Amino acid sequence: MTGSKDDREFELTVNGKRLTVSGAPVGASLLSVLRDNLGLTGTKGACEEGECGSCSVMLDGNLVCACLVMASTVTEASIATIEGLAPSGTLSRVQEAFVDHGAVQCGFCTPGLIMAVSDLIDRQPNADRETIREELAGNLCRCTGYGRIIAAVESLLNEGDL
Amino acid sequence: MPVFHPIDVDEAVELLARRGPRRILAGGTDEMVRINHGAAVGEGEEIVCLNNITELRSWAFESDRGVLVIGAAVPWTELASGAIATLCPSLAEAARTVGSPQIRNAGTLGGNVATASPAGDGLCAAVALDAVAVIRSAAGSRRVPVAELVTGPKQTGLGPEELITSFEIPLTEGYQGYAKVGVRNAMVISIAGACLVVDEQHGISRLALGSVGPTILRCPEAEPLITDVILNRSGNTARLDEIVDSVRSAARPIDDHRATADYRRHAVGVLARRLVTRAISAREENNT
Ligand SMILES: Cc1cc2nc3c(=O)[nH]c(=O)nc-3n(C[C@H](O)[C@H](O)[C@H](O)COP(=O)(O)OP(=O)(O)OC[C@H]3O[C@@H](n4cnc5c(N)ncnc54)[C@H](O)[C@@H]3O)c2cc1C
Ligand code: FES
Ligand code: FES
């Protein structure tokens, strides 16, 4: 729909809830609005240039970097963040697999990786190790060396046939 | 800062015709990096967002003209697989090498061409494919080959009031492929890239090189040699060496933080050899 919207006040649909954003800086990214205006600090930010993936969220069903989305342009979209993955106090399958495989050290990369892995197992339930590595190339982890993360993903993919 | 979501091209070009500062936002994967890191959006600046323009986000094969028409804002993920990948494999191969799933879900060919980086993977494929950019403004429309539209590093002949609406790619019979070298296997900006398109019907080949010059370079001297080797099965080591030498002398690389000129020149020769070898074996497979 056409129409000019004042960047200073707009609404977003996050995890199924319609939320009002006010006072965001002009041209602010979805990452900064989620964290600084809506208090949803599960989504992390580091590079703000699309390299690290710690800000990964789902936008209308597609995995994207929230730092590369201008918040005021996605008022009509459906946004899903790590906070909406499982009811409070419970874990999603992917979160559980990360815990079981010790795939979390400092935890900074974890929310972004959980979003990326949740998307990956939906799209490519038969991914092999090489595909997993390639598909997760947009999520950097400085602690684990990825071994346990890959193991967690493989446990989810192989659940059916092992 | 007003944000506009035009729903068709007419509306978009009307917005672009107005005076005052404005930016076009497609996937945002280039522009938001600039905005986050200093090129802040001004108070009065208008943002023209392309996401809701269905025409820009769809593609079609026009069989009467033999042309694939790809909307400028179709994201890489869609170019990388499915029917487009069958019709135009080199573009799909280039699309698959762009960034990560996150980047491919958002970034577009239109943004890649407008950004005009010499390392643009889609840009390199578009040049090898002889793609033509269809450009609209409130004043009218024009069609410009991508190779002419991009005039230098980060420079294009696009006016501020103009919008790329689509790319027209003439479909060809024959091998096509894209290859790139970077510091790791995935999620990497190219240090050298190459795209080869063989057009068997017209008996020609086009080889475009990325990241080894101020913009994408073609190889006018190597191309007839490549065609001969592939179509006349005259491939032997000496002829391949000749092609590689010719490609290396067409390259005009520089030293920068990602690689030295020497390395880039070497790498682009390796890529050319790889693509020509693949073309030869693809043809042999088809003929057996
Ligand atoms: C982490 C990361 C990794 C990347 N990896 C790669 C890679 O491997 N290979 C590669 O080639 N690129 C890469 N890029 C760069 C970028 O993703 C691509 O250039 C992408 O195609 C840009 O498209 P976009 O739609 O996101 O452009 P945007 O950021 O929306 O726009 C870029 C520019 O183009 C203009 N523009 C966009 N669409 C149009 C149009 N239809 N008409 C006129 N002007 C237009 C905009 O005004 C803007 O100036 C990477 C970027 C990031 C952040
Ligand atoms: S903060 Fe978005 S990718 Fe690093
Ligand atoms: S656990 Fe520390 S960055 Fe991944």
Side-chain angles (χ1 to χ4, degrees), chain A residues 45-48 50-53 55 65 67:
Chain A
C47 68
E48 296 189 40
E51 293 284 345
C52 74
C55 65
C65 294
C67 68

Side-chain angles (χ1 to χ4, degrees), chain A residues 77-132:
Chain A
S78 154
I79 299 156
T81 69
I82 188 77
E83 286 89 351
L85 219 54
S88 186
T90 66
L91 298 178
S92 77
R93 275 173 77 210
V94 178
Q95 288 170 318
E96 215 158 88
F98 268 58
V99 173
D100 291 347
H101 288 81
V104 180
Q105 286 188 26
C106 81
F108 198 85
C109 67
T110 310
L113 263 161
I114 301 268
M115 295 305 286
V117 170
S118 306
D119 176 54
L120 169 64
I121 63 174
D122 271 357
R123 283 185 300 113
Q124 304 219 37
N126 301 315
D128 57 17
R129 184 167 300 185
E130 199 187 324
T131 311
I132 296 171

Side-chain angles (χ1 to χ4, degrees), chain A residues 1-8 26-29 47-51 53 56 62-65 67-70 72-74 116 123 134-135 137-140, chain B residues 1-7 11 15 25 27-29 32-33 35-37 41-43 47 49 51-52 99-106 184-187 189:
Chain A
M1 228 188 61
T2 323
S4 138
K5 290 194 186 80
D6 184 359
D7 193 48
R8 292 310 168 95
V26 171
S29 71
C47 68
E48 296 189 40
E49 54 185 51
E51 293 284 345
S56 301
N62 296 309
L63 184 76
V64 297
C65 294
C67 68
L68 300 181
V69 175
M70 192 182 286
S72 55
T73 68
V74 291
R123 283 185 300 113
E134 242 173 55
E135 289 287 324
N139 293 81
L140 299 182
Chain B
M1 176 203 74
V3 175
F4 295 93
H5 286 274
I7 53 164
E11 207 184 324
L15 287 166
L25 206 58
T29 60
M32 280 303 286
V33 174
I35 292 171
N36 291 342
H37 293 283
V41 180
E43 281 285 345
I47 304 286
C49 197
N51 283 345
N52 292 355
S100 58
Q102 288 90 327
I103 301 299
R104 292 193 291 275
N105 283 339
R184 60 181 184 140
N185 286 336
M187 180 71 169
I189 300 289

